[in-house]
Amino acid sequence: MKIIVPMAGMGKRMRPHTLTVPKPLIPIAGKPIVQRLVEDIAKVCGEQVDEVAFIIGRFGAEVEKSLVKIAESVGAKGTICYQDEPLGTAHAILCAKESLTGPLVVAFADTLFKADFTLDSSVPGTIWVQKVEDPKPFGVVKLNEQGQITEFVEKPETFVSDLAIIGIYYFQDGAYLRDELQYLLDNDIKDKGEYQLTNALENMKNKGTIFVPGQVTEWLDCGNKDATVFTNQRYLEYLKERGENLVAESAKITNSVIIEPVYIGEDAVITNSVVGPHVSVGNKSNVRDSRVSNSIVQTSASVLNATITNSMVGNFASVTSKAADLSLGDYNVLQV
């Protein structure tokens, strides 16, 4: 089994946090989004993952090394593929064409999920979906009475279905997918100006491929700051339910109140503060004389004499502030 992870977007909706790192490397409960995604998919695959192919922009050697380590953490080989132009989802996946063989899962790296199933590899294809109130921003599917997918529609302007494609797909035959993606590019078949995976899926369906919907317990988006903070909240609850230890032994907590669920990383220092609920504090960060709730504080950051909620504080950033809802990028300093 292989996992294909397109993550080449620049994450403009997550700025300033994506000025120095790609969005999928932003931490959720202490681990990068993409690492959480790969680990969760590996758990539901039901078989060994032998390769994880990451499709990225030119983010540099350090980012690439960290991605290879993520693949190795689930016992797989890490492959780096490049998408130099944002030409759509089909184009992004095809950038990993050498890895598109055999059974595989395609998972876009700005989403997480909660699930309690094992992947059924006996079906030709599975498309994970979730009901949404407003389907216009998403690709959606229609089903027949047998529960099979009969139609794929990309970002419908009028109502077609409320079953949104969440960005995770299983294909029994990766080479077949590769050929259908290549057909779109060779014949310049675009939808809304881009090469869309949904067009390839529609072509495969018309040739007789049976796709079934997969259901997740919860779909967690990481598209912008507020969505990412909420996802951190839900993921902390999820990890607490699983009984995971979320406070590092090397963390130093003095004269402080910790309201679970909270993640506190290695060598973090919490002093004279109230932290939680739903807070992630990264490695070597310092929270002193502060009240922090429902927030993500990344690595080597400082929160001093501050009250923050619904916030993201970047790596090596420093906050001294009255009550605030913040989105502070790496290496920034805020004093109010």
Side-chain angles (χ1 to χ4, degrees):
M1 181 74 70
K2 298 180 181 180
I3 303 175
I4 311 299
V5 187
M7 52 178 287
M10 295 305 293
K12 292 181 180 179
R13 291 187 298 156
M14 279 291 288
R15 289 183 178 175
H17 301 281
T18 53
L19 292 173
T20 54
V21 296
K23 178 172 63 177
L25 289 181
I26 291 172
I28 293 293
K31 289 184 181 180
I33 294 168
V34 67
Q35 182 171 355
R36 293 277 182 204
L37 177 64
V38 168
E39 289 178 350
D40 286 347
I41 291 173
K43 287 175 184 175
V44 304
C45 276
E47 58 184 89
Q48 177 62 41
V49 175
D50 50 40
E51 181 183 5
V52 182
F54 299 96
I55 302 150
I56 65 173
R58 305 285 174 167
F59 293 127
E62 288 304 311
V63 167
E64 293 176 16
K65 287 179 183 177
S66 66
L67 293 173
V68 170
K69 287 182 179 179
I70 288 171
E72 292 172 347
S73 73
V74 296
K77 178 183 77 170
T79 302
I80 304 298
C81 310
Y82 300 106
Q83 184 189 28
D84 292 321
E85 295 181 87
L87 299 179
T89 53
H91 175 265
I93 298 166
L94 194 58
C95 289
K97 66 169 59 180
E98 299 301 323
S99 299
L100 299 181
T101 59
L104 56 84
V105 172
V106 174
F108 288 86
D110 57 358
T111 190
L112 292 174
F113 64 94
K114 180 180 177 183
D116 55 3
F117 62 86
T118 300
L119 173 68
D120 181 1
S121 59
S122 68
V123 299
T126 301
I127 315 297
W128 278 272
V129 298
Q130 183 85 330
K131 279 193 174 183
V132 295
E133 291 184 6
D134 180 12
K136 290 181 180 179
F138 306 101
V140 299
V141 302
K142 293 181 69 174
L143 306 180
N144 62 16
E145 293 181 355
Q146 290 74 42
Q148 298 170 352
I149 295 172
T150 60
E151 189 174 354
F152 299 92
V153 183
E154 183 66 28
K155 298 180 181 178
E157 295 181 4
T158 58
F159 183 84
V160 174
S161 165
D162 59 1
L163 291 177
I165 300 170
I166 72 171
I168 304 172
Y169 314 76
Y170 167 73
F171 299 94
Q172 196 177 60
D173 185 351
Y176 178 28
L177 170 66
R178 180 192 64 215
D179 292 343
E180 291 297 327
L181 298 175
Q182 189 66 57
Y183 177 82
L184 297 181
L185 271 66
D186 290 345
N187 293 276
D188 198 31
I189 299 172
K190 295 181 180 179
D191 189 345
K192 297 178 175 63
E194 295 184 333
Y195 301 105
Q196 301 289 0
L197 173 59
T198 45
N199 287 345
L201 298 176
E202 184 71 13
N203 289 343
M204 294 166 78
K205 188 252 316 168
N206 290 339
K207 292 179 179 179
T209 303
I210 295 175
F211 289 103
V212 297
Q215 295 285 343
V216 295
T217 307
E218 188 170 5
W219 176 26
L220 300 169
D221 179 37
C222 301
N224 57 40
K225 185 269 286 184
D226 287 342
T228 303
V229 169
F230 178 74
T231 291
N232 182 71
Q233 171 186 328
R234 296 296 301 135
Y235 219 89
L236 286 169
E237 292 281 1
Y238 180 33
L239 296 176
K240 180 183 177 183
E241 290 172 8
R242 294 198 323 209
E244 292 197 17
N245 179 27
L246 300 178
V247 178
E249 291 185 5
S250 61
K252 298 178 181 177
I253 302 171
T254 306
N255 194 34
S256 296
V257 176
I258 306 300
I259 305 173
E260 295 183 345
V262 167
Y263 170 85
I264 301 177
E266 298 287 346
D267 299 314
V269 178
I270 313 292
T271 309
N272 300 328
S273 296
V274 179
V275 176
H278 306 124
V279 173
S280 291
V281 178
N283 297 345
K284 299 182 180 179
S285 284
N286 181 17
V287 178
R288 188 178 73 234
D289 301 317
S290 296
R291 175 68 171 91
V292 183
S293 63
N294 196 40
S295 296
I296 300 172
V297 179
Q298 298 186 54
T299 61
S300 301
S302 296
V303 180
L304 310 173
N305 297 297
T307 300
I308 63 172
T309 189
N310 195 45
S311 296
M312 287 184 65
V313 178
N315 301 294
F316 299 94
S318 178
V319 178
T320 304
S321 173
K322 297 178 181 178
D325 175 332
L326 301 172
S327 186
L328 191 67
D330 293 357
Y331 297 96
N332 281 274
V333 177
L334 176 65
Q335 295 179 323
V336 179

